[in-house]
Amino acid sequence: MKKTVLIFFAIFFSAVSSQAQKYITKSGKISFFSDGPLEKIEAKNNKVNAAIDAKSGLIVFKVLMKSFVFEKALMQEHFNENYVESDKYPLSTFKGKITNIKDIDFTKEGAYDATVEGDLTIHGKTNRIKTNGKFIVSSNSINGKSSFTIKLADYNIEIPKIVTGKIAEEILISVDVDLKPLKR
Amino acid sequence: MKKLILIISALGLAAGIYVWFYVYNKPHTDYENKPPDYIMTAKELYDRFVENPNLNYTGKVIQINGVFQSVEDDDSLITVVFVFNEGMFGSEGVRCTFIPRFNEQLRKLKAPGPISLKGFCSGYNGTDVILEHCSPAN
């Protein structure tokens, strides 16, 4: 696993060192929503790191779990302590690639459909995911949006027995990032 | 017997009200009035996380001081940024997002400049140490 991560970063850094434009944000937004019979759960995180290499299509997200904000403090506490165990697994990551990068021109203003595929790591468990999204290229930034569903069980996130069947087993994750050119 | 049922019902109702208001609807932590768990310079905080990304400062209130390089104003959230390195996400260091009620005060800051602040540490994301719910430290 460590070797895979090292190889990925080596590829990414070599891409970064080339002349291709990189776009980044440190204030990307990710929210999740689940609608179970007992209650709706919604949380937002607006301190997400994201980077895209416009030439290769490599894409990286880094998300601190303790930055998710819930309306109710108790829910936030349960999320961190009982579900994602954020003291043990503080960081979630996505490392992947825009698979249709040839169809997207990040130098030309417009809206582009994208397909992204890569490894999503949450709660220390990594799964391969594939999702669709949209990039809107404007004169000084790129907005990227996507939403997809994950199963909590796929990430070894256990629902306490007392609320099994009352809390949704799947959550909808929405991503919204405004990326700016990386200045060196 | 009736009296006993009434007393038990009243106690049950009181317990329900207590759980509703003080457990289910308990307020978020007031980090502004919480004393810091650790006090250090911004550079020390960054260096310690770089050395050990699993440092147990995550979830603690940390007070730091140092010279900040920039102030970012985004979606009414103001972030004071300390820079100590360059990496794949550009500048790396400590990023401190303040409680919105300090926005006017922060918009008057001139970067670079010295600052002392405290906030909730949500961790190190591999590039930056993130402090949230920050307030000026007295």
Side-chain angles (χ1 to χ4, degrees), chain B residues 1-72:
Chain B
M1 186 62 189
K2 265 189 179 177
K3 204 176 174 182
L4 184 66
I5 292 170
L6 268 174
I7 291 168
I8 291 169
S9 302
L11 285 173
L13 186 66
I17 290 170
Y18 176 82
V19 168
W20 177 257
F21 281 104
Y22 297 99
V23 180
Y24 187 69
N25 279 323
K26 71 175 184 175
H28 284 274
T29 306
D30 176 9
Y31 292 105
E32 188 184 344
N33 291 309
K34 210 172 172 203
D37 296 300
Y38 301 100
I39 301 174
M40 65 193 79
T41 66
K43 179 79 166 77
E44 280 171 338
L45 177 63
Y46 175 74
D47 287 344
R48 286 177 194 182
F49 263 112
V50 169
E51 198 178 311
N52 176 14
N54 299 317
L55 199 63
N56 62 359
Y57 288 173
T58 300
K60 305 288 186 201
V61 174
I62 301 180
Q63 182 173 320
I64 57 169
N65 61 72
V67 175
F68 66 93
Q69 268 67 44
S70 62
V71 179
E72 294 175 7

Side-chain angles (χ1 to χ4, degrees), chain A residues 9 12-13 24 26-27 29 39 46-47 49-51 62 64 66-67 70-73 76-77 182 184, chain B residues 23-28 58 74-75 77 87-91 95 97 120 122-123 125 127-128 130 132:
Chain A
F9 277 106
F12 194 90
F13 275 114
I24 67 150
K26 292 190 177 187
S27 54
K29 296 173 182 64
E39 57 190 348
N46 55 11
K47 295 171 191 71
N49 272 14
K62 292 183 173 192
L64 280 171
K66 277 199 192 290
S67 290
F70 291 69
E71 187 192 343
K72 293 192 189 305
Q76 194 165 316
E77 211 173 281
L182 175 61
R184 291 281 179 190
Chain B
V23 180
Y24 187 69
N25 279 323
K26 71 175 184 175
H28 284 274
T58 300
D74 181 35
D75 273 357
L77 277 180
M88 66 180 282
F89 284 85
S91 58
R95 296 174 62 82
T97 305
F120 168 81
S122 52
N125 58 22
T127 64
D128 299 280
I130 306 295
E132 301 182 53

Side-chain angles (χ1 to χ4, degrees), chain A residues 71-88:
Chain A
E71 187 192 343
K72 293 192 189 305
L74 184 69
M75 230 179 239
Q76 194 165 316
E77 211 173 281
H78 284 172
F79 170 77
N80 283 301
E81 291 173 9
N82 306 333
Y83 290 79
V84 297
E85 301 177 274
S86 58
D87 281 334
K88 198 173 171 186

